[in-house]
Amino acid sequence: MNKIKKVAIANRGEVAVRIIEACRELGIQTVLLHSEADIQSIAYRMADETFLLGGSTTAESYLNIPKNVEGALKTGADAIHPGFGFLSENADFAQAVTDSGLIFIGPKSETIRQLGDKVSAKRLIEKAGVPTVPGYMGDDQSIQKLVSEAEKIGFPVIVKAAAGGGGRGMKVIRNLKEATELIESAQREGQSAFGSPIVFLEKYLDRAKHIEFQVFGDQFGKAVYLLERECSVQRRHQKIVEEALSPSLTPELRKEMGEAAVRLAEAASYNGAGTVEFLLQDGKYYFLEMNTRLQVEHPVTEEVLGVDLVQAQILTADGTFEQWLQEDLIPHGHSIECRIYAEDPYQGGIPSTGLLGFTEWPEGEGRRFEVGFEEDDRITSYYDSMIAKVIVWAEDRHEAIERMIETLKDVTVFGVHLNLPFLVQILDHPEFRNGKFTTQFIQQHFPEGLKGVQDQPHNKSLLLKSLKNLEVLAQEPVSETPFSGPWATEWRHR
Amino acid sequence: MKSQSAQFFVEGVLCDAQIIEGVLWLKTDEGIQTLDLRNRFQTQNAGQKDGKTITAPMPGKIIKIITEAGSDLAVNDTVIVMEAMKMEYQLKAVKGGTVRKISVQVGDQVQLGQLLAEIEVG
């Protein structure tokens, strides 16, 4: 008999929709734990029940542990799915969930704690026999020690807040002269942003690729690797384009890295979905960090392997999951995901907010859309500006790139600016196409998005004539009969 | 806050268009472009440059008469407020003077170029 009959979703946007859809397919009821602003979202309308956590700020809602637990208990949920971001890697939250008698869909809180702290995670992986980036993570946090260690490692060196994550709390030190100032700054920021001034140092791999392995541990802690994703297209450590598989791995390297990732997962007795991130440079790989949650880019793995990771997570938490056999995980084709951000790429990517108007996601073969909002929803500035993801699958990488470009050009969203034209430029760039791009790609070729690279189309004549058409239409009663105005030769009212 | 969206051909180009909160959104095969309408008419002189008349800059509805006939006007005083495409537009005096006549009433639907007010300049 299944334990989980109702899942409370402690998240928002397109991932909340994703989890609801997975639950529906399993015949499980859903409760959305949401903020005030997210009443205007697709997930709110799709969930079987909803529970208002509080106001619109993340502190009042998605980061509020007692409120989330209260919502799940009050609505009679059996389990909580934390999605990604927010509380998904918060060991205290996982603990609070299980303490209250609910099931946490994810690894155990002790596992999250152990792997969430970069320092202890690194020690674990050294025990599991996986190479790490040369660095220093000692207890001696005096400035003299840190500067001398940085010099030993060899510049460029990156100083990271031990309690940071998701690309935040990191600085690059290029020479001895700036070492003291940058290290002290990182310590101060670590204290104020993450509550801890502890930093560690790593050699900065300045032309590396970001290769991550999806791992999955069953309820007994037996793990397999679901191959890799390449996520080197990043802006300020925030991923924009991801793909499976990586164009940069040989089968031998894939097997070696995958097995290393599994060794780590099993050393940690990992349950559920996790991701082991590596940096690959000059044929050598180094452990970066392990993420103890479902990742944004999980769909590309699902597409090439034909699996459903969210369902697997739920079934694992339910105790009924049948683990995959490593030899059965054979990839087919190539998949690419683009993150759709509400921002103006022609103005360097400044966030765009507003009321959504007409939206059209062009369905078709090998196309998958994960969308959080639709017409009449308001996109606000309270949260991350990602509002959707576009995923394509094709027989090979070249075809996948072409299919993605075509799909992006056919997307229509009115009301907020989106990064669509920026994504097209990225995918069409020779360095992306030939697979040689590294994590420096965006910085090198698009440091300010499309600003300075391409101008927004501005056809004054078309704009004014379209305006005239709309004004005329507004005067007419809504009707199905065709109309011909002074410049329109044919129109259709939606 | 937003108009209906519509699709039509203009100059042989297929266009999707919609006005949302004072901004025109247009999609063609070149991509998406916008035109901010909010400043176009809001404080623009609606009418002749000599300031003797105020005419409607677009089709719409009269929603407020601010300065009645006989009152004094300073430059940039709002005379009439109209509404179009779910946005409000303040129609202002270009020159100071006195309002001689208001030719419309609140609630009237007006056409582009329609005479709304006559002003005695000076």
Side-chain angles (χ1 to χ4, degrees):
Chain A
M1 197 66 211
N2 293 352
K3 288 185 282 187
I4 298 178
K5 296 184 169 45
K6 189 187 277 193
V7 168
I9 298 153
N11 216 294
R12 61 181 299 277
E14 94 301 335
V15 71
V17 173
R18 174 78 185 85
I19 298 166
I20 292 172
E21 284 174 340
C23 286
R24 278 186 179 177
E25 283 176 25
L26 292 172
I28 296 174
Q29 293 280 295
T30 54
V31 177
L32 184 71
L33 308 170
H34 67 94
S35 70
E36 180 76 47
D38 282 330
I39 289 172
Q40 295 186 50
S41 68
I42 294 177
Y44 181 83
R45 293 181 286 269
M46 276 181 74
D48 295 309
E49 291 173 59
T50 61
F51 180 87
L52 177 64
L53 295 165
S56 292
T57 64
T58 54
E60 292 174 277
S61 55
Y62 301 107
L63 292 178
N64 188 324
I65 292 178
K67 266 287 175 184
N68 276 278
V69 175
E70 180 196 330
L73 289 171
K74 277 199 171 144
T75 54
D78 307 297
I80 291 185
H81 195 307
F84 41 67
F86 295 133
L87 296 170
S88 63
E89 289 183 285
N90 186 312
D92 294 334
F93 180 55
Q95 187 69 57
V97 170
T98 49
D99 284 349
S100 69
L102 296 162
I103 297 170
F104 182 77
I105 299 175
K108 298 188 282 291
S109 63
E110 311 94 78
T111 312
I112 296 174
R113 218 178 288 280
Q114 192 180 31
L115 290 167
D117 180 56
K118 294 204 187 71
V119 177
S120 57
K122 238 181 169 181
R123 290 192 184 125
L124 191 66
I125 203 159
E126 272 166 3
K127 266 200 248 165
V130 180
T132 54
V133 183
Y136 172 76
M137 45 179 187
D139 294 328
D140 188 347
Q141 292 273 311
S142 69
I143 193 68
Q144 298 92 321
K145 179 66 168 169
L146 289 168
V147 171
S148 98
E149 286 296 324
E151 227 186 333
K152 255 200 259 171
I153 291 166
F155 300 106
V157 169
I158 199 163
V159 53
K160 291 185 182 182
R168 295 172 59 210
M170 304 160 67
K171 293 179 195 298
V172 177
I173 309 168
R174 302 212 176 263
N175 53 58
L176 186 59
K177 223 164 58 134
E178 57 182 31
T180 304
E181 188 212 306
L182 287 175
I183 290 171
E184 285 177 343
S185 173
Q187 289 173 315
R188 284 194 299 269
E189 276 185 25
Q191 179 63 57
S192 69
F194 309 109
S196 163
I198 296 177
V199 295
F200 67 97
L201 305 167
E202 266 177 11
K203 181 158 190 63
Y204 183 48
L205 298 166
D206 54 0
R207 33 171 215 297
K209 288 170 155 289
H210 175 117
I211 310 286
E212 60 187 41
F213 274 75
Q214 178 71 57
V215 293
F216 202 96
D218 65 12
Q219 49 268 38
F220 310 108
K222 168 107 181 61
V224 292
Y225 63 96
L226 287 104
L227 310 181
E228 81 278 5
R229 295 181 286 261
E230 168 142 15
C231 312
S232 303
V233 179
Q234 298 178 13
R235 176 183 56 190
R236 294 185 287 274
H237 307 283
Q238 188 186 49
K239 297 167 185 169
I240 308 177
V241 179
E242 308 106 338
E243 57 187 311
L245 303 172
S246 165
S248 316
L249 295 190
T250 60
E252 295 75 30
L253 198 49
R254 176 171 293 120
K255 185 164 190 278
E256 202 184 313
M257 293 172 77
E259 288 176 353
V262 163
R263 282 200 304 277
L264 175 61
E266 292 191 336
S269 307
Y270 197 85
N271 314 110
T275 296
V276 180
E277 296 187 337
F278 295 99
L279 288 176
L280 178 73
Q281 182 166 307
D282 302 327
K284 291 205 199 64
Y285 61 95
Y286 308 91
F287 171 75
L288 187 59
E289 65 177 342
M290 180 164 181
N291 298 317
T292 58
R293 61 171 195 264
L294 182 75
Q295 304 239 138
V296 172
E297 57 273 21
H298 73 274
V300 296
T301 296
E302 295 185 320
E303 290 298 313
V304 298
L305 287 173
V307 300
D308 187 321
L309 286 166
V310 179
Q311 284 191 18
Q313 283 184 300
I314 297 170
L315 295 173
T316 300
D318 198 43
T320 57
F321 180 62
E322 222 179 276
Q323 176 69 295
W324 296 286
L325 294 174
Q326 189 65 61
E327 53 264 33
D328 288 344
L329 293 166
I330 299 171
H332 178 215
H334 195 91
S335 180
I336 301 176
E337 173 185 275
C338 285
R339 300 192 185 191
I340 311 300
Y341 288 101
E343 62 185 35
D344 189 344
Y346 301 105
Q347 299 298 322
I350 56 172
S352 178
T353 58
L355 181 68
L356 280 183
F358 174 63
T359 63
E360 185 172 61
W361 302 93
E363 302 284 347
E365 195 196 322
R367 299 173 174 194
R368 170 175 164 182
F369 302 97
E370 307 222 330
V371 179
F373 307 92
E374 57 192 356
E375 181 155 18
D376 292 326
D377 287 330
R378 184 169 292 278
I379 305 300
T380 62
S381 54
Y382 289 107
Y383 319 110
D384 181 90
S385 54
M386 186 175 72
I387 64 159
K389 298 172 334 198
V390 176
I391 300 115
V392 300
W393 179 92
E395 288 288 341
D396 59 49
R397 186 171 190 264
H398 172 78
E399 231 188 275
I401 293 174
E402 294 306 317
R403 181 166 284 169
M404 178 59 86
I405 291 175
E406 201 187 299
T407 305
L408 293 173
K409 285 181 171 173
D410 285 341
V411 173
T412 306
V413 172
F414 288 158
V416 291
H417 296 282
L418 298 182
N419 63 339
L420 299 163
F422 183 28
L423 291 165
V424 170
Q425 290 300 308
I426 289 170
L427 292 160
D428 212 17
H429 196 283
E431 214 176 273
F432 180 81
R433 282 182 175 278
N434 70 21
K436 296 210 198 304
F437 59 106
T438 68
T439 54
Q440 303 303 310
F441 177 74
I442 294 288
Q443 187 55 36
Q444 277 166 358
H445 303 292
F446 303 100
E448 285 185 285
L450 291 182
K451 196 169 179 186
V453 174
Q454 193 186 67
D455 287 328
Q456 181 175 21
H458 194 78
N459 189 326
K460 200 74 190 259
S461 164
L462 276 184
L463 282 162
L464 292 175
K465 286 176 181 175
S466 298
L467 177 62
K468 181 77 185 176
N469 281 356
L470 285 175
E471 287 170 348
V472 171
L473 289 169
Q475 299 290 309
E476 299 280 317
V478 174
S479 94
E480 297 301 313
T481 57
F483 164 89
S484 59
W487 296 291
T489 54
E490 182 185 317
W491 68 269
R492 173 164 67 80
H493 225 231
R494 292 188 188 283
Chain B
M1 295 301 220
K2 59 183 176 70
S3 72
Q4 290 269 55
S5 61
Q7 188 177 72
F8 36 69
F9 279 96
V10 178
E11 297 175 3
V13 177
L14 183 64
C15 301
D16 279 285
Q18 188 176 27
I19 297 175
I20 302 168
E21 296 186 319
V23 176
L24 169 67
W25 292 80
L26 182 69
K27 170 99 197 284
T28 63
D29 53 17
E30 283 180 332
I32 292 184
Q33 43 190 303
T34 56
L35 184 67
D36 195 330
L37 306 173
R38 285 166 297 185
N39 291 324
R40 267 184 102 211
F41 299 115
Q42 224 148 14
T43 57
Q44 198 182 75
N45 167 45
Q48 293 177 305
K49 286 201 171 70
D50 62 12
K52 289 184 179 162
T53 59
I54 289 184
T55 58
M58 73 202 90
K61 190 165 92 170
I62 305 299
I63 57 173
K64 272 194 201 116
I65 313 279
I66 304 291
T67 358
E68 300 288 341
S71 359
D72 288 329
L73 267 185
V75 177
N76 268 338
D77 275 356
T78 300
V79 180
I80 286 171
V81 181
M82 66 177 288
E83 185 208 69
M85 306 309 310
K86 317 263 172 137
M87 289 288 297
E88 290 189 4
Y89 298 95
Q90 277 80 38
L91 307 182
K92 294 172 179 254
V94 164
K95 296 195 159 131
T98 321
V99 179
R100 189 197 293 158
K101 183 175 177 202
I102 305 280
S103 316
V104 288
Q105 287 178 326
V106 171
D108 282 356
Q109 289 283 2
V110 298
Q111 299 304 315
L112 170 68
Q114 184 170 333
L115 179 68
L116 306 179
E118 290 169 61
I119 294 167
E120 180 94 40
V121 174

